[in-house]
Amino acid sequence: MKTSRKAKRIRRHYGRMKKPGGLNLVSLMDIFTILVFFLMVNSSDVKVMQNTADVPLPKSTAQQEAVESLTVQITGNAILVQGSEVARLEGIEIGDTYITGLSEELSWRRSRWSEIPEEGLDVTIMAGRDTDYRLLRKVMQTCVDEQYRQVRLAVDREVRNG
């Protein structure tokens, strides 16, 4: 029996849909190549510390590179550890030698270490250039009391011309 042209066309059409699909690796390889170049260009040795606009850092001509460590930030009205608020400045008394909320947070973070180095743990303090020295001294003393003895102050690098 002879089939009509329409029947052949329908059979051919449905036959195409039964074939397994293929995987095109060219597009995938292009994406990975671009990704590799992007990662190579953007991987550098520059350490960038998270800073907010309300903490104007003092200027410095120091050539030493920044070290990644625990960050204590003193803003206009609060003390932050790694971005989360641990103490309000209004709650700090003048006669206090340490800051309770900061001490508790540093103690909790220290307890997660299996072994504490003899020279102490690292901490970087980010405080604005107009921060009261007495407050800065209390923050530093609290850090030292909680075995964060490698205290660093964050600064903006001043670019020298010439």
Side-chain angles (χ1 to χ4, degrees):
M1 173 162 120
K2 192 172 183 182
T3 56
S4 68
R5 294 175 90 191
K6 185 176 181 182
K8 287 180 185 178
R9 186 174 48 84
I10 291 173
R11 191 178 322 131
R12 192 175 44 223
H13 174 72
Y14 284 116
R16 269 189 258 147
M17 303 305 250
K18 301 245 187 223
K19 292 181 185 175
L23 182 62
N24 187 358
L25 293 178
V26 175
S27 299
L28 187 63
M29 301 242 331
D30 287 347
I31 290 172
F32 280 124
T33 304
I34 292 170
L35 184 63
V36 166
F37 283 121
F38 176 81
L39 292 175
M40 285 174 52
V41 168
N42 289 323
S43 66
S44 62
D45 293 335
V46 177
K47 304 283 189 248
V48 177
M49 298 183 75
Q50 182 180 4
N51 190 8
T52 59
D54 59 344
V55 182
L57 295 176
K59 300 285 184 201
S60 173
T61 57
Q63 298 301 314
Q64 189 175 4
E65 292 295 323
V67 177
E68 282 192 42
S69 63
L70 183 70
T71 304
V72 175
Q73 187 175 15
I74 303 172
T75 63
N77 56 0
I79 297 176
L80 313 171
V81 175
Q82 293 298 104
S84 62
E85 184 177 317
V86 295
R88 307 276 308 161
L89 296 184
E90 300 95 42
I92 300 173
E93 299 295 325
I94 295 173
D96 290 345
T97 57
Y98 72 98
I99 301 164
T100 307
L102 177 61
S103 177
E104 291 169 358
E105 179 70 19
L106 293 176
S107 174
W108 178 78
R109 289 181 183 269
R110 184 189 69 231
S111 69
R112 295 177 25 197
W113 282 79
S114 59
E115 186 175 323
I116 298 173
E118 187 175 316
E119 64 273 1
L121 300 170
D122 294 338
V123 65
T124 301
I125 299 175
M126 295 177 69
R129 53 182 158 244
D130 56 345
T131 302
D132 184 35
Y133 176 72
R134 288 175 289 197
L135 174 62
L136 186 60
R137 193 175 75 196
K138 288 178 189 179
V139 170
M140 292 169 67
Q141 184 62 47
T142 303
C143 292
V144 170
D145 289 346
E146 293 299 329
Q147 298 181 9
Y148 286 86
R149 293 187 209 109
Q150 299 295 318
V151 179
R152 293 178 179 86
L153 297 175
V155 294
D156 273 340
R157 179 178 281 176
E158 191 173 81
V159 179
R160 286 185 173 178
N161 294 332

